[in-house]
């Protein structure tokens, strides 16, 4: 039996943070009913489309049941009451106050079900001066100082390739706190309201910059943070053929092994004397050879240096394939089957590999 078998989840969320959170609950055995407005949520229409079905929607809502309701209709809202009365977990992602105006806020539904765990996911939380402010992932990492830590000169800012706020600030904290609330309910018999603000966890991602600022009174500027471009030991170096070596040789033993593998001159190995000169020397050496030339040398050195891999190649990596990351599948349209999104749930809790469809 999966650990969340027997639990019922009502999912009022759209797009990414909430749907990914409830997907993880579903993959661990919970029954998830996704509430959608007539016509369905916007993610259904996001490209690419297969037989009129959005691939991103299918990947995020695999294995859930669907229920179409117009929440602005009193009659449709009334249909929810018997469902809410037996629900264990409710997840919503509207702006603060919207569910309350619909008569579905925590105070209202708690009268129907005192054991209900009610999880609200929003950008800035349910209360505070910015609670009603619109935003997306980029805005949330911008407002919390995280984007200011980006490597490189400010004249060439880079949009991060991952949605840290949506997933790391929304989906993951939601699941963590839902599981904590289930444990608390086991002890007290009482549900609760979880206020998950995607911006809150962005300060957690800035842990090292916070430590530096607290200890020295000076917070790092863009490109200064050791783990964000401020050290030649933790850096991206282009190769001769336009690929990239990701160097993470922070510890001295790895740095010395890396320096030896690339033939770094002794004058530059001590990177405390002139970090920028060392970085330039390493960059020049890496740029002199192709990725295929560097790959065996770095592998033999075992020095925390990796050739950046395109996603389509990473999907074929024997290591990830053997670990079963892509064993689960999702049916999109009538004939298309795609690998399901790998979720951070231990295989013994996730259930047997198989193909499921979105509602």
């Amino acid at each position: 039996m999966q650990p969340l078998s027997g639990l019922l989840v009502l999912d009022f969320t759209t797009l990414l943070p909430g749907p990914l959170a409830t997907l993880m609950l579903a993959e661990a055995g919970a029954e998830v009913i996704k509430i959608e407005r007539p016509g369905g949520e916007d993610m259904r229409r996001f490209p690419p489309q297969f037989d009129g079905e959005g691939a991103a929607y299918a990947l995020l809502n695999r294995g859930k049941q669907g229920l179409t309701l117009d929440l602005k209709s009193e009659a449709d809202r009334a249909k929810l009451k018997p469902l809410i009365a037996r629900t264990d977990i409710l997840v919503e992602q509207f702006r603060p106050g919207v569910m309350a105006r619909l008569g579905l806020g925590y105070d209202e539904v708690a009268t129907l079900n005192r054991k209900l765990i009610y999880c609200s996911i929003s950008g800035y939380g349910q209360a505070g001066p910015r609670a009603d402010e619109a935003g997306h992932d980029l805005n949330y990492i911008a407002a919390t100082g995280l984007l200011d830590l980006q490597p490189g000169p400010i004249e060439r800012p880079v949009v991060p390739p991952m949605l840290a706020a949506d997933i790391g600030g929304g989906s993951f904290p939601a699941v963590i706190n839902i599981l904590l609330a289930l444990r608390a309910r086991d002890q007290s018999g009482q549900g609760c309201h979880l206020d998950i603000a995607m911006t809150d966890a962005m300060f957690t991602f800035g842990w090292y910059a916070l430590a530096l600022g607290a200890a020295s009174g000076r917070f790092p500027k863009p490109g200064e943070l050791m783990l964000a471009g401020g050290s030649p030991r933790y850096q991206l170096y282009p190769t001769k053929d336009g690929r990239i070596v990701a160097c993470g040789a922070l510890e001295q033993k790895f740095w010395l092994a890396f320096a030896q593998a690339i033939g770094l001159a002794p004058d530059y190995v001590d990177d405390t004397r002139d970090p920028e000169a060392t970085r330039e020397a390493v960059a020049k050496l890496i740029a002199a050879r192709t990725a295929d030339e560097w790959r065996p040398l770095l592998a033999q050195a075992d020095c925390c240096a990796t050739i950046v891999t395109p996603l389509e190649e990473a999907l074929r990596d024997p290591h990830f394939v053997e670990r079963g990351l892509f064993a689960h599948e999702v049916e999109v349209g009538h004939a298309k089957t795609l690998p399901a999104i790998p979720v951070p749930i231990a295989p013994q809790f996730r259930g047997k590999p198989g193909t499921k469809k979105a509602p």
Side-chain angles (χ1 to χ4, degrees):
M1 180 177 289
Q2 292 177 270
L4 299 186
S5 294
L7 295 179
L8 176 61
V9 180
L10 281 188
D11 180 1
F12 288 83
T13 67
T14 62
L15 301 176
L16 173 59
L20 179 56
T22 57
L23 171 64
M24 287 189 274
L25 299 178
E27 294 286 83
E31 177 187 359
V32 178
I33 299 178
K34 183 174 176 64
I35 310 297
E36 291 190 68
R37 65 175 182 266
E41 68 151 291
D42 291 340
M43 187 67 85
R44 285 184 178 271
R45 290 170 283 280
F46 278 23
Q49 295 271 317
F50 297 98
D51 295 329
E53 187 172 351
Y57 172 87
L59 291 174
L60 288 168
N61 293 286
R62 172 184 184 270
K64 303 175 187 177
Q65 301 176 43
L67 179 60
T68 300
L69 293 174
D70 181 0
L71 296 181
K72 296 181 180 179
S73 163
E74 185 175 349
D76 277 11
R77 291 198 303 272
K79 297 176 184 178
L80 280 171
K81 290 187 176 180
L83 197 55
I84 290 173
R86 64 183 183 89
T87 293
D88 295 282
I89 302 157
L90 184 154
V91 186
E92 63 94 4
Q93 195 182 299
F94 294 108
R95 285 208 198 187
V98 170
M99 287 289 274
R101 290 196 293 273
L102 292 170
L104 297 171
Y106 176 71
D107 291 339
E108 292 83 3
V109 300
T111 62
L112 301 173
N113 183 352
R114 70 181 185 86
K115 293 184 177 182
L116 180 68
I117 295 167
Y118 189 110
C119 179
S120 296
I121 304 174
S122 63
Y124 296 95
Q126 298 300 299
R130 305 185 79 155
D132 294 325
E133 188 175 318
H136 281 299
D137 192 281
L138 194 63
N139 308 112
Y140 305 145
I141 62 175
T144 53
L146 192 62
L147 192 58
D148 190 57
L149 299 174
Q150 65 169 326
I154 197 65
E155 294 81 12
R156 292 184 286 108
V158 177
V159 177
M162 76 291 290
L163 297 178
D166 280 4
I167 297 176
S171 306
F172 288 177
V175 172
I176 291 169
N177 283 279
I178 285 170
L179 297 179
L180 292 173
L182 286 170
R183 176 59 177 148
R185 190 179 72 174
D186 289 341
Q187 298 170 324
S188 69
Q190 184 69 38
C192 64
H193 185 194
L194 301 173
D195 178 5
I196 304 299
M198 288 182 265
T199 46
D200 287 359
M202 295 305 94
F203 289 102
T204 309
F205 279 84
W207 64 275
Y208 190 52
L210 289 170
L212 288 174
S216 67
R218 181 185 179 276
F219 291 90
K221 301 299 181 185
E224 291 183 350
L225 191 65
M226 179 178 67
L227 300 178
S231 169
R233 299 186 180 204
Y234 205 84
Q235 194 70 244
L236 301 177
Y237 295 105
T239 63
K240 183 178 182 179
D241 56 343
R243 299 289 293 273
I244 296 174
V245 170
C247 175
L250 287 172
E251 295 86 351
Q252 186 68 2
K253 65 176 182 179
F254 293 131
W255 173 246
L256 293 177
F258 175 75
Q260 182 177 3
I262 67 173
L264 185 63
D267 289 347
Y268 297 111
V269 173
D270 182 2
D271 58 322
T272 61
R273 294 190 298 181
D274 189 343
E276 182 58 24
T278 295
R279 189 198 66 78
E280 291 178 358
V282 173
K284 186 175 180 179
L285 289 168
I286 298 297
R289 298 188 183 187
T290 67
D292 285 341
E293 289 175 308
W294 281 122
R295 185 176 283 108
L297 296 175
L298 297 175
Q300 184 178 9
D302 192 23
C303 57
C304 299
T306 309
I307 305 297
V308 172
T309 305
L311 179 58
E312 60 269 27
E313 290 183 20
L315 294 175
R316 299 190 296 268
D317 188 309
H319 175 79
F320 302 125
V321 172
E322 183 178 319
R323 288 184 59 79
L325 294 186
F326 315 114
H328 298 259
E329 294 183 327
V330 57
E331 180 183 341
V332 185
H334 298 293
K336 188 73 173 180
T337 300
L338 300 175
I341 295 174
V343 291
I345 296 174
Q348 66 265 35
F349 296 149
R350 194 176 180 191
K352 296 180 180 179
T355 302
K356 295 181 181 177
K357 189 173 177 63

